[in-house]
Amino acid sequence: MSLILEGFMGSGKSAVGKELAKRLGLSFIDTDALIEAKQDCRIADIFEESGEEAFRQMETAVLQGLLLTDDEAVISLGGGTPVRDANQSIIKALGRVIYLWADASTLIRRLESGTEERPMLKGGDLAHRVKKLLGEREKRYMELADIVIDIQDESIEEICCRIMEEV
Ligand code: S3P
């Protein structure tokens, strides 16, 4: 059974996922990276050229593809992947879902340095956008989660240890 990492942008899904996969001897899959490889295009450019809806369809297609493989892996999702209804049952079927939780102010602090590569945060006031999106998404993250890990003030190593204790 795979381990699926969900959480808002800036919660550390990719960094934690890589380290966790290494510790567990599993492969690491980043769904954003899969989309970029398949499209041969950066996510920011996909948003710009084709729009968010096209990107969301690509996310669902990637998840469906993962369902066809039996390999156990640590899978890091994009921050918005759990929101789409069609993705929820697929994510559940893929494995145990771990929500990397942090509050809005922690996420805002972590996101301050890099909104360039994150089209969902472009334009307007960062704090306002994070609070609004998080407000829309948090219930979804919680509903899907088998395990919730508070990542605030924790190092990647500590987060991995906590996850490994829980699973
Ligand atoms: C998105 C999060 C991004 C990426 C895309 C959309 C979102 O992934 O999938 O820019 O809607 O929250 P990260 O959470 O890895 O930044």
Side-chain angles (χ1 to χ4, degrees):
M1 167 149 293
S2 292
L3 297 179
I4 324 292
L5 299 181
E6 63 160 4
F8 202 78
M9 291 168 269
S11 59
K13 300 179 293 291
S14 300
V16 170
K18 269 183 211 148
E19 178 64 22
L20 186 63
K22 200 165 89 185
R23 290 182 183 211
L24 293 171
L26 297 174
S27 49
F28 171 65
I29 295 170
D30 182 325
T31 56
D32 283 342
L34 280 186
I35 292 172
E36 288 187 325
K38 204 166 158 199
Q39 302 297 322
D40 194 19
C41 190
R42 288 162 57 242
I43 284 172
D45 294 333
I46 297 173
F47 268 73
E48 190 141 335
E49 284 158 24
S50 312
E52 182 181 353
E53 179 53 30
F55 172 73
R56 298 300 173 199
Q57 285 173 17
M58 292 169 196
E59 279 187 310
T60 301
V62 158
L63 291 178
Q64 283 165 338
L66 290 175
L67 263 189
L68 302 176
T69 69
D70 293 332
D71 297 347
E72 278 192 341
V74 176
I75 302 172
S76 160
L77 303 177
T81 317
V83 177
R84 199 178 163 101
D85 285 337
N87 297 348
Q88 302 212 350
S89 54
I90 306 178
I91 293 170
K92 276 274 174 212
L94 280 172
R96 294 190 80 187
V97 181
I98 300 156
Y99 175 20
L100 302 186
W101 180 88
D103 68 12
S105 49
T106 303
L107 292 168
I108 292 162
R109 195 167 8 93
R110 293 170 67 132
L111 287 164
E112 256 156 7
S113 55
T115 53
E116 220 16 71
E117 290 297 315
R118 292 191 158 104
M120 295 300 289
L121 297 177
K122 265 182 147 177
D125 176 57
L126 175 67
H128 176 75
R129 291 190 74 83
V130 170
K131 283 179 193 158
K132 184 169 180 292
L133 267 182
L134 187 62
E136 291 163 8
R137 293 176 172 181
E138 181 122 53
K139 188 163 168 274
R140 279 287 159 102
Y141 292 146
M142 282 294 185
E143 278 166 2
L144 261 186
D146 295 300
I147 299 163
V148 180
I149 303 280
D150 178 347
I151 56 109
Q152 300 181 133
D153 307 318
E154 303 272 8
S155 67
I156 291 172
E157 289 72 25
E158 284 163 345
I159 295 167
C160 288
C161 287
R162 301 256 313 284
I163 294 172
M164 288 167 78
E165 278 163 23
E166 296 270 352
V167 295

